[in-house]
Amino acid sequence: MTAESAPPPPLRRVAVIAAPPVSMFNLAIPEMLFGKVEIDGAPGYETVICAPDPGPVTTTGGLDLVVPHGLDAVAGADTVVLAGSGSYTDPDPRILTALRAAATAGSRIASICTGAFALAEAGLLDGRAATTYWAYSSLLAARHPSVDLQDDVLFVQDGPVLTSSGYAAGIDLCLHVIRTDYGAAVANGVARLALVAPVRPGGQTQFTQTPLPPERGVSFAATRAWAMEHLDEPLGLTDLARHAGVSVRTLSRRFHAETGVSPLQWLLHQRVERAKELLESTSLAMDGVARASGLGTGDSLRRHLLGRTGLTPSAYRSSFSRLTAVAGPAAAGADPSAAATPARTRAETAPSATALTPAATAPPSRAS
């Protein structure tokens, strides 16, 4: 099979709103992660920081940042991100107007931490699943009862609107956006550059009041790293426990305490992620992708990928592959009905209300 590079996709514009006093950490996350996206050597995003009043903007840390752009930068943005602010209970009316206009124009709207309060005030969370930093969830529920509050997840996507918990949860939200736009391989590459976990799988709670330390210094990080190198093998609980040097019972209990999911749930998640990367970056036939990722058969690959992304393997490859297939064996393993299915749009591939993983556990002193 021969292949040639596809033309780079159009630059996607992200407008990040800094509502004073803004969290510097929240504000840095989108610029850092979106700024690391490169597609065939070209930037994937243009990130613009804006504020209601351009110029010095106060932060929750007491410093001033100079923000040169006003809210007119929101117009035409593909994605609008509202960073957490110390003024979350009293959002600037100009921000609410800009958010409503962006939503009407079809932009994807996201918030980090207490930014969810402004989205709710703007009416964008009415009837939608949403979250915020756990310490403020009861206040959000009391002030905005029409919000379907998910107070025990890392972040939630409900249609074109995303909300995250605080602190590092904003990183996971931005990686999810990158993954939605450009696929797993690009998002995982950005995560490696940022030295963060590529994906924190679902099923975890947002907070743990009394987190359990690893027993006797036992951590399963080395075992997880080993498993990542052997995903194509028929790994089970016994294999993982043997590598970790513990019993299966101890492995199951401590692995869940450490990651928030069971060992087998973690393995399945990593195998699906590996399959997505292979679909994006290789021309392997579907059965070959299934074997290389440890999912076994093409039918198993199809079932799990449909459950996670709403796309068949062929449709996923059509949407995210950086290779343009000319001819060859890749088509042999493809689902013929899926091959005739047009690639879905960003909004169509996004789950209706997807909740994923936990945030930091430290209690707040200011808005995160």
Side-chain angles (χ1 to χ4, degrees):
M1 173 178 176
T2 59
E4 58 184 17
S5 296
L11 192 69
R12 298 177 187 267
R13 192 157 175 269
V14 179
V16 185
I17 300 177
V22 67
S23 162
M24 289 190 294
F25 184 59
N26 281 190
L27 199 60
I29 289 170
E31 191 280 330
M32 176 184 68
L33 295 179
F34 293 129
K36 284 182 166 56
V37 174
E38 286 193 1
I39 309 298
D40 297 333
Y45 294 96
E46 174 195 10
T47 306
V48 179
I49 312 296
C50 59
D53 296 305
V57 173
T58 59
T59 70
T60 54
L63 303 176
D64 283 349
L65 299 176
V66 177
V67 178
H69 302 285
L71 293 177
D72 55 337
V74 172
D78 297 285
T79 302
V80 179
V81 180
L82 184 61
S85 166
S87 60
Y88 57 92
T89 57
D90 187 26
D92 190 312
R94 293 171 293 177
I95 292 178
L96 302 182
T97 298
L99 289 172
R100 294 185 186 111
T104 300
S107 298
R108 175 172 48 197
I109 310 295
S111 67
I112 300 175
C113 194
T114 55
F117 282 81
L119 268 59
E121 190 69 28
L124 303 184
L125 299 184
D126 290 348
R128 293 189 185 274
T131 193
T132 189
Y133 186 36
W134 63 267
Y136 304 110
S137 60
S138 59
L139 180 60
L140 181 65
R143 292 176 67 93
H144 301 283
S146 61
V147 176
D148 179 13
L149 184 66
Q150 311 288 305
D151 62 357
D152 60 348
V153 297
L154 178 65
F155 69 88
V156 175
Q157 174 167 0
D158 193 332
V161 181
L162 300 92
T163 52
S164 85
S165 180
Y167 297 100
I171 296 174
D172 296 274
L173 182 146
C174 290
L175 287 174
H176 174 72
V177 169
I178 295 169
R179 183 172 293 104
T180 300
D181 289 345
Y182 293 112
V186 173
N188 291 348
V190 170
R192 284 191 289 270
L193 288 173
L195 299 178
V196 296
V199 183
R200 289 198 280 178
Q204 304 178 43
T205 57
Q206 183 186 134
F207 55 91
T208 304
Q209 297 291 355
T210 54
L212 299 174
E215 285 182 353
R216 296 181 299 278
V218 174
S219 169
F220 297 116
T223 297
R224 292 195 299 272
W226 171 80
M228 291 292 289
E229 297 177 355
H230 297 81
L231 289 178
D232 59 332
E233 300 175 14
L235 298 180
L237 289 175
T238 302
D239 302 294
L240 297 175
R242 183 183 300 115
H243 183 275
V246 297
S247 68
V248 169
R249 183 175 181 180
T250 297
L251 172 84
S252 299
R253 179 166 55 89
R254 301 305 307 175
F255 195 103
H256 192 284
E258 191 172 317
T259 67
V261 292
S262 73
L264 294 183
Q265 286 175 321
W266 181 88
L267 267 177
L268 176 59
H269 185 88
Q270 300 307 326
R271 284 172 166 152
V272 173
E273 288 300 306
R274 176 66 55 80
K276 288 160 66 177
E277 286 201 46
L278 291 170
L279 288 168
E280 295 168 30
S281 58
T282 77
S283 57
L284 278 173
M286 300 309 169
D287 283 340
V289 171
R291 288 192 298 271
S293 60
L295 292 175
T297 66
D299 287 341
S300 177
L301 168 66
R302 177 186 172 88
R303 182 174 69 255
H304 289 299
L305 199 66
L306 268 171
R308 296 294 179 93
T309 69
L311 293 175
T312 64
S314 294
Y316 186 90
R317 172 171 274 167
S318 176
S319 296
F320 293 112
S321 176
R322 300 307 304 156
L323 302 175
T324 301
V326 177
D335 175 4
S337 63
T341 304
R344 300 190 185 186
T345 63
R346 199 170 49 192
E348 289 173 322
T349 60
S352 174
T354 303
L356 299 112
T357 61
T361 60
S365 56
R366 290 190 177 95
S368 62

